[in-house]
Amino acid sequence: MKDVLPAPLKKLAAACPLPLYAVGGSVRDFLLGYPVGDKTDWDISSPMREEELIAAASACGFTVRALYRHTGTVKLEDGEGRGYEFTRFRSDRYVRGEHTPAEIFFTDDMTLDARRRDFCANAVYYDVAGEAFADPLGGMEDIRNKTLRTVREAEKVFGEDGLRLMRLARISAETGLRPDGECLAGAKRNAALIADIAPERIFTELKLLLLADQKHGDGEAPLCGLDILRDTGVLGHTMPELALGDGMEQNNPYHAHDVLTHSFLCVRHAPPEIRFAALLHDVGKPYCMLRDGNFHAHAPVGARIAEAILSRLKAPKKLIAETVFLVANHMRDYNCEMRTNKVRREILRIGPALPALFALKQADFTACKGDLSPAPTVVKWQNILDKMREEGVPFTLRELAVNGRDLKAAGVPERKTASILHELLLFCSEDGSRNEKSLLLRHAANMMKSGS
Ligand code: ATP
Ligand code: MG
């Protein structure tokens, strides 16, 4: 481990009056054989008081970014810009379910500190100056066995802090460690406690889970995390609309899976940027099935439900807007029956969101039956798009051969310019050679005459 520790951390440990330990994700990931280095978030710990740590850190050229006396936490940055979170050895007492401990006792007993954590694999310490591991709860053995075990009775660990339910799914997804039976059972019994956790925190964990494959390159990682959310019941408490698809059969030749499994597989096949849209693309199906007995209107209905879910989770507004748009449009021309001119207009309407929509359509197609071949709609639309580019079709008003001033000079009243420019863009979408000034002005004049 000593070879992967940053030099400033070693210097700091040598300057501390008591042993300073690396703990948590960095030690766990190192023992799992994953790269530990520049992107690592360094969690460090010691029985030392915050003042002692701060004095040593300042002498070693670190900057103190924050100090939380109540929890004995100090955020530090070394001279090379690396961040560290120091927590003094402590034991916590919780009010059921809430993430913030009600009482904190500082201690010099490492085992007590380990027992206030979540999983044994997250409670392996590395003495930075002494160059030795300390493993009070057998976390190294768990890591060898690829297991997540709680630091105390699972019932208690999850009962104290509902955020651990999300951490279980996310850390399992990122690391490949799998919960043992007791851990899973404890999480199941306490799944409802997720309701006590701030939506922003749930969202942050969910996002990390959906991107878990980006951490260590395991393509199945998000799927594994989603399975845990479903199996523990946490999904039903955080996104009940989505959980309704669990076991809902689709009874048609295109689908091999129930609605929820299909949604999870769509995440599996989607690029990172559209994972929320992949997860929620069919969220309208259970609602439509229960209301209408079919899935017909599931895209627009799903868009509204996706908006409600993401707003509830306090997701960023931009992500909500992008996701809602993709969910609303994911069925466009699903059966490849749309006429070419209509597709051309749709391509203009969708504009910059087109690559994301293609990616979602492809992931949706692949997730139906595991077919990795190109999705027919994407092939058809891509060919039409290529042809439009070849013809020089304008995709934005700026690329149009006339502008507002030209229309004004031709006698178009100002209140009509925006709608006429838009109409001209659609007119050109059918044939790029129409993007020529005199032709467009003539077309505009005809539109005025016919009163459009
Ligand atoms: P990552 O690789 O994402 O940093 P991590 O396990 O280091 O994973 P952190 O949030 O950095 O996660 O937390 C550091 C350590 O603090 C954890 O390994 C765990 O021992 C402990 N910890 C963090 N959050 C909790 C919690 N909610 N309950 C109990 N222990 C926690
Ligand atoms: Mg960490």
Side-chain angles (χ1 to χ4, degrees), residues 23-26 28-29 41 43 94 99 116-119 122-123 161 163-164 167 170-171 174 208 215:
V23 64
S26 63
R28 175 196 69 216
D29 289 354
D41 131 54
D43 304 300
Y94 285 85
H99 175 63
R116 65 104 183 152
R117 295 177 182 273
D118 45 10
F119 308 110
N122 283 347
D161 173 4
L163 186 65
R164 294 170 183 166
R167 285 179 57 87
R170 189 263 292 181
I171 290 174
E174 285 180 345
L208 288 170
K215 194 137 183 203

Side-chain angles (χ1 to χ4, degrees), residues 96 154-155 158 165 182 184-193 232:
R96 192 169 160 78
E155 180 69 35
F158 292 111
L165 296 158
E182 199 220 326
L184 213 49
K188 260 187 210 171
R189 278 196 298 273
N190 288 285
L193 294 183
T232 52

Side-chain angles (χ1 to χ4, degrees), residues 242-302:
L242 184 64
L244 274 179
D246 192 5
M248 184 174 276
E249 294 305 332
Q250 317 220 40
N251 293 331
N252 81 39
Y254 302 110
H255 280 280
H257 308 284
D258 69 55
V259 176
L260 187 63
T261 308
H262 168 73
S263 304
F264 286 4
L265 287 168
C266 190
V267 171
R268 161 76 182 82
H269 293 289
E273 312 80 58
I274 59 155
R275 296 267 165 89
F276 278 96
L279 182 65
L280 298 175
H281 77 285
D282 275 349
V283 75
K285 277 188 172 175
Y287 184 92
C288 288
M289 181 52 84
L290 296 170
R291 187 187 62 178
D292 312 330
N294 62 55
F295 294 144
H296 295 165
H298 80 271
V301 168

